Structures are given as structure tokens and as C-alpha cells.
Amino acid sequence: MDLINITACDREPIHIPGAIQPHGLLLVADRASLSVNMAAGDIEGRLGAGDWLFRPLSDFIGVALAARAAGAPEGPAGLFLGRIETAGAERLDVSVHATADALFVEFEPASTDPSPAAFVLSELEAATTEFQNTDNIQELCDVAAKKFRALTGFDRVMVYRFLDDESGRVVAESRREDLGSFLHHHFPASDIPRQARALYVRNLVRTIPTIDYQAAPLRPPGPAAALDMSDCALRSVSPIHLQYLRNMGVCASASVSIVTGGRLWGLIACHNMQPLGLPHDARSVCRALAVALAQQIKAREERETYREQMRLTNLSAGLVEVLAREGPLHEAVSNHLAELARMLRSDGVAILRGSDLIASGEGPKNQEISALARWIASRGKTSFSTDRLAQLYPEAAAYRARASGVAAAVLSFEEPWLILWFRAEKIEIVKWAGNPHKDAQAGAAGELTPRASFEMWSETVLGRARDWSLAEIEAAGRLASAVLEARQNWRVRDLNRRL
Ligand code: BLA
């Protein structure tokens, strides 16, 4: 049931809702003729244009803005055209983005407090410097939550980070003190379905000024129903998501993508308990700040990976010669097992060479190690790693507590010769926000409804160890190759000596 519903979530065509959120207005013009051929929202009432179909764009925004609109580059970024005052004294921000054959002109309530560019730029610079001055990713995210809250004025601002399985976790939060906290809460992947995540890599900011709105349909109805609105700021939002926010007790939402290396690393998720929008200029600042944040995250992740690689290289250098030594293992390597364990931050290690076995620290019993090593070697690959051994090798359930994680390097399949590292099971209490196993329930009429409960849900994940990093797995492989190479060199030297 979960599977069916989650794929249904992934399939909802959110880019063609056929409607906008009614706080704004939309005109769609043919890119060649600049005549308006679709519209949404109260064009008649707010722009005083009863008869809008096939009128030139300049009738609505003037010749100068229409000329600027015509020059908009194709793509999601778009241009800010300016601010207009309607006959009804409403001040509207006008922006445009272009596709191959259409211009999308959007009107939104103008920001009440437009800051001068110099002020905004200096704020951005100051925030970027603060980002740079943090010591690690956690501190960086804490500062980011505060900055985005100050910038947007939302009641609760969170840094939401995607994990390997596309579920996510709130890693930092700044909120009004009287509100509940979502810090450290875990949310299933289906809360932000795949097509939404793909859209959010391409266009970085979205806003829902109020969840209680009546969608304004695109007109005329025929072709408008299939119009791709991927990059419209006013795009009407999935009703499932609106219900989700309602269940969360949220009235207005905005989110900003954090994209590193073309991948959605996370989101800045903003909640407000009263209606609140994010005007065009504030969205631009959010985008710039999110790009600065993403750069800092990437730089820090790269620095951490580099440091880890250096550590691994230094530790393994001293071990190569020891591991390559001939003779019984207890004579050759017994004094170095702790070092070997430290190298991969493991709880225990073992080396098996033929019928000789040596082990130290936490891990399976010797007989169990021999059987496991034979199974690993039988897979025919020189390296192996898992953070949940019993799922692949059921016999390991018996020693789950001592070794749920295993990394191994196979130096010889024939002897066999293996180095194994073990990690104990980690007992982790995951705070799921709502029961993830009931994430999409069918409503009375069979339609999908998001989880109705945001009660915190705790779950203990059994049979899992801390996962092995790519740097650790690679280092294990490099260590094995270096040992084999050292041994080969000695053999050649030995042979030369004897000849
Ligand atoms: C969209 N879901 C979203 C968005 C967020 C979340 C941030 C982006 C839209 C926005 O800015 O509001 C999820 N919001 C969260 C999470 C937190 C938060 C995890 O504040 C944590 C603090 N949602 C479901 C289920 C479905 C679903 C079961 O829970 C599908 C059946 C759908 N979520 C869904 C859809 C969208 C969405 C379709 C896209 C909305 C759109 O852009 O039209």
C-alpha cells in the first residue's frame, strides 16, 4: 500500500496545475507576436481589462516594460520588469520569464518595504562573511536558519537536509519561542516527492502566502489546462501539500533550495502561522543567500573529505610493511591490530590468511569470522562493505550487536587472505514526524491524503551500524593493493638475490 501511494505522489503532475494562487495575476503572451493568449486571476477587476484576449502585452504594462519583457532570456530565472500602480491604487511587482514560444508575465503584490540595492547587497555580503566564519557545517546551518528568518520574517525557519535514501532531517532551526520545534525530526522521502525535488533543483524559491485559497484557473480553459507552469512563481500548489501544511498547523509556507554540484542537498523551509508572502525582491535575495550557503557547504564537505583522506593515507602507510610480512600472523601483525582498527574507526578487526586467523576488539567469534570471510570471498569481488550485514547474510543476525557493519578487503581468493573491519550495531532512536509507514493514506473517496498526525514517532533501527564513508572504503582497497605490491617486490628481490 505504501509503495502504490508513494508512486502516486511521485506521479502528480505539479507542473501543470492549470491554475495560479490568486494573490497574483498571470498573463501569457505569444513570444513572437507579444499578444496575450492566456490569463489567470482577476484581470478584469484588478487590471480593469475586461477584454484581454489577443490584446498586445503593452496594453497592460506599457510599451517600455513590454519591450524589456520581449528581451527576457529563455529559462527559469526571468527578469524583474518593474512596479506598476493600477487604477484601483494597487501596487504590483511585474516580472517575466520566457519559454521557447511564450512569455509568462506575473503580477504580485509589491513588497511594502523595498530596500535600496546598496543596503541589500551589504546585508548579503555580511551574511556571506558570517557563513565563511563558521567552523563546521552544523554551525553554518545554525547561522543560515537565523539569517533566513531575519530576511523573510517567517515564524519558523528550518534547514532541512536530504539523506541518502531521500528522507530528510531538520538539522537547524530558528523559530518564534512560543512555537513547537521540528529540530532533529526526520521526515520520509514521500513528503517531498521526486518530481517536486526535480523541479526545486531547477527553480530555487517557492512561496505559498496562504494555504486557504481558491485556485484561479487559467483561461481560456482548453489549451490552458496543459500549460507547463514549472517556473511560474504563482503556480498553484498540490492540494495534497496544502492539506499537509494544514495538518502541520501552518498557514503560509516558503522554501528555498540548497543545491550543491547539481544535487538538491536540502531546503530552507519556512513556516508562518498567519498569511505571509515572499515578494519578488525578497526571493532574489533568498536565492543569492542560498547560493552562498550551498558554496560554503560544498567547500566544507570537500575539506572534510580531504582531511579524512590524508588521515587514512598516513595511517595506512605504516601498516603496509607489517601486513605484507611472511610468517604466522600473530608474530607479524599482532602489535598493529589496534592501529588497523583505528584506521577505519572500527570496533574490531580480523585478518584471515589460509587457516591462520587473528582478531582483536569487538567482533564475531573466530568460527563466525571464518565462515563470513568464506562467504565474502565467494562473492568474487576484492572489496566488500555494508552497514547492515544481517540483511545480506542472515547468519550474522546472531552477532548483530557486535558486528552489523563490515568492511573487507580480499587480498587473495585462493588462500583465502582477507582483512575485515567490524562496526557494532548502533542503537538509534529516530524521531519520525508522523508515522512514516502510514505516510500516504487513502481518503474516503480514495484520494491521497498526507499523514494526518504530526505526533512525533520514535523508531529504533535494528541491525544497523554507522555507515562506511567512500574515503574509508577506498582506503581499505588501497591498503590491500599496497600490501600485495610490497609482497610482490620482496619476492622479486628475493629471487634476484638467490640467482
Ligand atoms: C511539497 N513538501 C513540499 C515542500 C516542502 C514539503 C517543504 C515544498 C513546498 C513548500 O515550500 O511548502 C515538506 N515541509 C516539508 C517538510 C517539512 C516542511 C518535510 O516544513 C519539515 C519541517 N506530501 C506528503 C505526501 C505527498 C506529498 C504523502 O506528505 C504525496 C502524496 C506531496 N509535497 C507533496 C507535493 C509537493 C510537496 C506534491 C509539491 C508542491 C508543489 O510544489 O506544488
Side-chain angles (χ1 to χ4, degrees):
M1 147 127 174
D2 278 350
L3 260 183
I4 293 166
N5 285 342
I6 289 163
T7 41
C9 284
D10 284 344
R11 276 202 309 263
E12 186 185 354
I14 60 171
H15 63 297
I16 44 171
I20 62 165
Q21 301 179 54
H23 62 280
L25 306 168
L26 170 70
L27 295 177
V28 184
D30 178 72
R31 205 165 167 196
S33 67
L34 296 183
S35 86
V36 171
N37 54 23
M38 279 181 248
D42 186 10
I43 307 292
E44 294 81 354
R46 288 163 76 184
L47 292 187
D51 165 27
W52 51 264
L53 194 59
F54 302 131
R55 289 233 325 252
L57 191 56
S58 54
D59 282 6
F60 303 88
I61 56 176
V63 176
L65 295 198
R68 250 170 78 67
E74 196 178 317
L79 287 178
F80 180 68
L81 294 177
R83 203 156 275 165
I84 60 164
E85 190 159 330
T86 65
E90 191 183 11
R91 289 161 61 76
L92 294 171
D93 279 344
V94 188
S95 60
V96 65
H97 72 270
T99 60
D101 46 24
L103 290 178
F104 289 73
V105 178
E106 298 186 80
F107 301 75
E108 298 170 71
S111 56
T112 46
D113 173 31
S115 304
F119 180 76
V120 173
L121 287 174
S122 74
E123 286 280 296
L124 263 178
E125 263 171 7
T128 307
T129 307
E130 261 192 74
F131 287 173
Q132 278 162 350
N133 289 344
T134 55
D135 279 341
N136 51 50
I137 291 185
Q138 181 57 53
E139 224 178 84
L140 175 62
C141 291
D142 291 339
V143 171
K146 286 200 192 80
K147 287 280 155 199
F148 275 94
R149 181 156 167 239
L151 171 67
T152 60
F154 274 63
D155 289 332
R156 187 196 284 122
V157 172
M158 295 158 286
V159 180
Y160 183 79
R161 179 178 185 169
F162 290 106
L163 308 174
D164 289 346
D165 60 0
E166 292 175 345
S167 68
R169 194 196 292 266
V170 175
V171 296
E173 180 183 59
S174 167
R175 67 190 148 90
R176 225 175 65 192
E177 268 176 17
D178 59 317
L179 295 180
S181 170
F182 284 113
L183 189 59
H184 305 316
H185 284 204
H186 205 106
F187 295 80
S190 54
D191 283 21
I192 311 174
R194 188 175 307 147
Q195 81 284 27
R197 290 192 301 263
L199 188 59
Y200 302 166
V201 171
R202 168 190 169 90
N203 90 40
L204 302 184
V205 191
R206 56 219 68 86
T207 163
I208 310 168
T210 173
I211 59 164
D212 288 309
Y213 70 83
Q214 273 270 306
L218 272 165
R219 297 169 285 155
L227 184 70
D228 183 338
M229 298 175 72
S230 289
D231 300 321
C232 282
L234 294 168
R235 179 176 59 80
S236 189
V237 180
S238 156
I240 294 173
H241 182 54
L242 295 176
Q243 184 60 43
Y244 179 92
L245 292 170
R246 197 167 290 123
N247 295 344
M248 242 183 188
V250 169
C251 177
S253 161
S255 58
V256 189
S257 311
I258 306 168
V259 179
T260 61
R263 186 176 61 97
L264 194 61
W265 183 93
L267 297 173
I268 307 287
C270 311
H271 294 164
N272 212 60
M273 303 303 127
Q274 301 293 326
L276 183 63
L278 202 56
H280 194 281
D281 51 358
R283 291 204 300 277
S284 300
V285 182
C286 280
R287 254 192 304 271
L289 201 58
V291 168
L293 174 62
Q295 275 165 352
Q296 283 298 313
I297 288 173
K298 185 153 187 276
R300 265 148 230 275
E301 283 185 342
E302 280 169 0
R303 208 179 311 157
E304 277 167 26
T305 307
Y306 177 74
R307 267 199 214 126
E308 178 65 357
Q309 278 166 346
M310 291 304 291
R311 188 188 74 83
L312 288 163
T313 307
N314 289 340
L315 272 173
S316 64
L319 287 164
V320 172
E321 192 241 343
V322 174
L323 291 167
R325 271 181 212 157
E326 309 267 356
L329 287 171
H330 70 270
E331 283 175 16
V333 295
S334 58
N335 292 333
H336 299 272
L337 290 174
E339 226 172 306
L340 192 62
R342 220 170 27 246
M343 178 181 154
L344 289 212
R345 299 187 211 276
S346 65
D347 299 303
V349 285
I351 303 174
L352 176 88
R353 206 160 74 201
S355 55
D356 200 359
L357 171 70
I358 189 164
S360 131
E362 279 274 301
K365 299 197 185 90
N366 284 3
Q367 257 176 345
E368 293 165 336
I369 295 176
S370 301
L372 172 64
R374 270 198 304 281
W375 175 77
I376 292 174
S378 74
R379 296 165 62 96
K381 300 224 172 76
T382 53
S383 78
F384 171 80
S385 68
T386 176
D387 60 357
R388 50 197 84 171
L389 181 61
Q391 283 185 21
L392 301 173
Y393 177 72
E395 288 88 326
Y399 48 84
R400 197 184 73 196
R402 284 167 286 143
S404 277
V406 178
V410 183
L411 290 92
S412 154
F413 292 102
E414 293 81 36
E415 272 188 277
W417 183 9
L418 289 92
I419 307 172
L420 302 109
W421 289 265
F422 304 110
R423 276 183 186 166
E425 179 182 38
K426 72 171 172 189
I427 303 290
E428 184 186 39
I429 306 290
V430 180
K431 295 175 184 171
W432 284 100
N435 181 350
H437 301 302
K438 290 189 184 154
D439 46 22
Q441 297 151 346
E447 81 281 19
L448 292 169
T449 63
R451 282 169 290 127
S453 161
F454 277 92
E455 294 292 297
M456 191 170 79
W457 189 267
S458 292
E459 173 176 309
T460 307
V461 179
L462 295 176
R464 290 242 205 131
R466 197 161 58 75
D467 55 352
W468 307 92
S469 72
L470 189 61
E472 287 169 334
I473 296 167
E474 283 173 356
R478 274 199 309 275
L479 177 68
S481 317
V483 169
L484 290 175
E485 200 180 320
R487 184 167 267 214
Q488 189 65 29
N489 289 343
W490 284 340
R491 291 231 168 98
V492 172
R493 237 177 291 150
D494 208 31
L495 202 65
N496 284 343
R497 216 180 305 132
R498 269 188 256 156
L499 284 175

